[in-house]
Amino acid sequence: MKYTREESRARLRATVEAGEPIIGAGAGTGISAKFAERGGVDLLIIYNSGRYRMNGRGSLAGLLPYGDANEIVLEMGQEVLPVVEDTPVLAGVNGTDPFRDMSVFVEDLRRRGFSGVQNFPTVGLIDEDSGFRQNLEETGMGYDREVEMIGEASDQGMLTCPYVFSEQDAREMTEAGADVVVSHMGLTTSGDIGAETALDLEAAAERVQAHCDAAKSVDEDVMVICHGGPIAWPDDAEYVLNNTEDVVGFFGASSIERLPTETAIEEQAREFKEVEF
């Protein structure tokens, strides 16, 4: 079911006012979306990494040239949108794609039933001090293109929930019209294909707070949630939310669909192997 920007924002604000955290869930498959919705999530987000992740590959495969990220999200939309009953669904958009007119692409996403967008794949995951990131910025494939995409989606009446990686990112995305700023702490740890290198939770909470303060210096009404890195399990999210101010939720992709799936399938298979006859 498609929602307008105003409807989506009202739903999220009602969640916060009720004293509940906003929970967004990445969905790489229809079954992930169906049961995350039944679990009560507030947002569903689909993007190319979800497909790779649920095929046993690392989420960072979504940043490499294994497929057309924007075409993949359209294909995934055909699989996921029909099974979602009452939750806004966001598309992960590769805003740096030089082969698409973003105004046309965003309009197409809205027509297909998406309620909003997020910037993924994102060059924000590439170290700003690396020569590769600098070259991307210099040749028209930088983070500023993602900011422009978020602005376009906002202008077209879609909910915008961009990833930010620095205080400057948080300010720029909020100025572009972001409704929910997602403070990204890097690739999620834990599980079979999770990251091994990440901040600790205390440092993550400090960084999330800095992003939140930067966003709210532009727009006091912007909502800020956290994602990734060491924030992998419910207890981790609880720690960050209890050690920050004005951070109102969590977005989990690997945390909600990959980590529980790894455990559940392995344990179920083991139980069947232990059947006596």
Side-chain angles (χ1 to χ4, degrees), residues 135-157:
N135 289 161
L136 288 172
E137 300 286 352
E138 292 164 357
T139 53
M141 292 175 282
Y143 190 81
D144 60 326
R145 295 291 302 277
E146 299 176 27
V147 174
E148 291 171 8
M149 181 275 292
I150 291 296
E152 178 63 40
S154 179
D155 290 344
Q156 291 199 30

Side-chain angles (χ1 to χ4, degrees), residues 25-33 45-55 76 79-80 253 257:
T29 66
I31 198 167
S32 297
I45 304 95
I46 60 178
Y47 48 81
N48 69 332
S49 270
R51 173 168 289 180
Y52 297 126
R53 177 170 55 243
M54 297 309 285
N55 276 295
M76 293 174 70
E79 301 163 0
V80 172
E257 66 173 355

